[in-house]
Amino acid sequence: MDLFTRASGLMTLAIELITGVRLLALAMKTRRLPETALGVAFTCGAGTNAWFLIAALLFPEAPPEIEIALWGLSYLGLTMSLYIGVWRVFRPTSVVVRTIGFLLAATLTVLLVTELAGINRAFYQGVWNGLYDEVQAYAITATMAWAGIESALYYRDLRRQIALGLSENVFAARFRLWSYASVAWVLFHVFLFSRRHGLLSLEFARPTMTLLALIGSVLIYVTFLPPDWLQRRWSSEP
Amino acid sequence: MADSPLFEFVSDRLESASGVQLSRLQCRGVVRKALKTAGLSPERVTVAQMRVVLERVFPETLARNGVSPTDATRLVSTLLTRLDSAQQSGRLEGEAPEDIFKRLDASRRNK
C-alpha cells in the first residue's frame, strides 16, 4: 500500500468512527432506533476498513481466515444496520421494507455462517471469491443506492415544505449531502465489484476507491455533524 | 406502506364533517393530494405540519374537488378544532426524517 492509500484509509476510518460514535452516544440518551442503527452502521463501516489496515500494518502474517471472518461480520453489521437506519428514518411504517429486511438478514447470515464453516465453498471454488462476498456486495450497494434515492426524494419534498414555512434550508442541505455521499459509496462498491471481477487494474482501482471512500465519509460526517459556520451558511441561503 | 394515525384521523374526520359531499375514498385522496402539494407524506406527517397544510393548502385542494369556498372554510375550521382536541392525547404525533438531525443538534448544543 502506498502512502496516499494508507493516509486516506486511516482518515476514512477515523471520520466514520467519529460519526458512528457520536450517533451511538446520542442513541444512549434517546434510546431511539434511527440513531442506534446508523451509529452501528458507520462504526461497522470503519470496521470494514480497520480490519484490512490492522492486518496489513500490524499482523501481515495473520491467517486470512481471521481477517475474512472479521471483515464478513463488519460488512454484515454495516449492511443490516444501514438498512434498518434507512428504513426507520424514511419508511418506518412500510411492511414491504421490513419484510425485505428480514429476508436479507436471514440470507446474509446463512451465507456468512456457511462461508466461515467452509460448507458453500465447494459450489463456487475457482469461480468467485465467495458466494457471501458476491451477495454481500450487491446487498450493500443496493442499500446505499436506496439511502441515496430516499435522501434525494426527501430533499425534493423538503424544498416544497420550505416554500410553506414547514421546514428549514439546513435540513434540506443535509439530505442533499446524504444523497451525494451515497453516490460516492455506490461508486466505491461498483469499483470494488469491477476490480473483483478483473474489469479494472489494481493501480487504477485502489486510489480511486480510496478517494471515493474518503469523499463519502467526509460527506456523511458533514451531513450528521455539520460545523456551526456551515449551518449558518445553509440557514442564510434563500 | 401504512399511513400514519394522523392521516387516518384527518381523513376520517373530513368524511364525517363533509356529510354526503365526499366519499371515504375522495376524502383520503384529498388529504393525500394536499400533503403531496406541501412535500409531505401520509406516513410521517406531524401534527404541526398537518395544521399548516390544513390552513394553507387544503382550501384550494377542496375547491378543486368541487367543494364550495364556504363549505371548504367550514370544513377546515372543523378539522383544525378536532385536530387541537386530539393532539392533547399525544397519539397522533409522527416522526419526520429530519428529527434525527434535530436530536443530534440539540445534543451538541447541550454539551
Side-chain angles (χ1 to χ4, degrees):
Chain A
M1 272 197 289
D2 59 28
L3 187 64
F4 168 75
T5 310
R6 281 188 193 198
S8 303
L10 278 170
M11 279 169 69
T12 304
L13 190 158
I15 294 166
E16 282 182 332
L17 204 57
I18 291 168
T19 316
V21 168
R22 290 292 291 274
L23 278 163
L24 287 175
L26 174 69
M28 297 275 280
K29 285 186 207 161
T30 61
R31 309 262 172 209
R32 282 173 182 267
L33 196 51
E35 42 265 48
T36 309
L38 291 173
V40 172
F42 299 138
T43 310
C44 284
T48 55
N49 289 310
W51 309 129
F52 283 124
L53 277 169
I54 290 167
L57 295 171
L58 302 176
F59 308 107
E61 302 303 320
E65 288 80 10
I66 293 175
E67 197 185 315
I68 290 168
L70 291 172
W71 179 84
L73 284 171
S74 288
Y75 246 99
L76 180 63
L78 166 64
T79 309
M80 286 325 301
S81 50
L82 182 65
Y83 188 95
I84 292 167
V86 176
W87 163 45
R88 294 306 300 177
V89 169
F90 295 104
R91 308 271 168 192
T93 56
S94 171
V95 179
V96 175
V97 173
R98 192 172 53 192
T99 310
I100 292 172
F102 278 123
L103 292 173
L104 184 66
T107 308
L108 290 177
T109 306
V110 167
L111 286 174
L112 180 61
V113 169
T114 50
E115 175 103 6
L116 293 176
I119 295 168
N120 61 1
R121 243 166 248 178
F123 294 103
Y124 59 77
Q125 206 159 22
V127 183
W128 293 323
N129 283 344
L131 193 58
Y132 174 74
D133 289 4
E134 197 78 2
V135 176
Q136 174 61 70
Y138 282 123
I140 189 66
T141 310
T143 307
M144 284 171 167
W146 176 41
I149 291 165
E150 291 287 6
S151 312
L153 289 174
Y154 197 63
Y155 167 72
R156 186 201 60 188
D157 288 348
L158 280 178
R159 298 304 306 171
R160 288 185 198 158
Q161 291 181 31
I162 290 166
L164 285 167
L166 283 171
S167 194
E168 297 162 39
N169 248 338
V170 69
F171 299 122
R174 287 160 90 164
F175 281 103
R176 188 180 58 202
L177 279 190
W178 194 351
S179 68
Y180 293 163
S182 301
V183 170
W185 281 113
V186 167
L187 284 175
F188 171 90
H189 283 89
V190 169
F191 273 81
L192 182 73
F193 215 59
S194 307
R195 169 68 202 126
R196 192 178 284 170
H197 287 269
L199 300 171
L200 290 172
S201 70
L202 188 64
E203 292 73 31
F204 174 69
R206 183 179 273 170
T208 314
M209 283 166 61
T210 310
L211 193 63
L212 284 168
L214 185 61
I215 291 169
S217 57
V218 169
L219 288 173
I220 280 293
Y221 176 87
V222 178
T223 298
F224 286 89
L225 306 163
D228 289 341
W229 64 267
L230 194 55
Q231 291 211 48
R232 281 196 296 275
R233 194 176 144 187
W234 284 335
S235 300
S236 63
E237 279 175 7
Chain B
M1 191 185 294
D3 296 317
S4 69
L6 178 56
F7 171 81
E8 301 288 349
F9 175 84
V10 172
S11 303
D12 288 350
R13 295 307 175 277
L14 176 63
E15 189 186 355
S16 58
S18 72
V20 289
Q21 264 190 305
L22 297 169
S23 68
R24 178 175 168 73
L25 206 62
Q26 278 178 312
C27 290
R28 293 175 72 83
V30 165
V31 180
R32 209 177 282 278
K33 202 177 279 180
L35 289 173
K36 194 179 176 189
T37 307
L40 297 164
S41 79
E43 301 89 35
R44 55 192 177 216
V45 59
T46 65
V47 173
Q49 291 170 334
M50 184 63 93
R51 181 169 287 115
V52 176
V53 170
L54 288 177
E55 286 168 350
R56 297 180 56 182
V57 183
F58 219 58
E60 198 181 318
T61 318
L62 282 171
R64 272 201 227 112
N65 281 269
V67 178
S68 70
T70 321
D71 284 346
T73 311
R74 181 185 58 80
L75 282 172
V76 167
S77 165
T78 309
L79 288 173
L80 284 170
T81 311
R82 293 193 179 169
L83 194 63
D84 282 339
S85 53
Q87 197 185 0
Q88 310 296 328
S89 67
R91 284 180 295 120
L92 297 176
E93 200 58 72
E95 184 169 327
E98 63 267 35
D99 285 353
I100 187 172
F101 295 144
K102 288 178 183 169
R103 291 195 293 273
L104 258 176
D105 295 347
S107 143
R108 288 167 77 194
R109 273 195 297 271
N110 291 338
K111 277 195 174 172

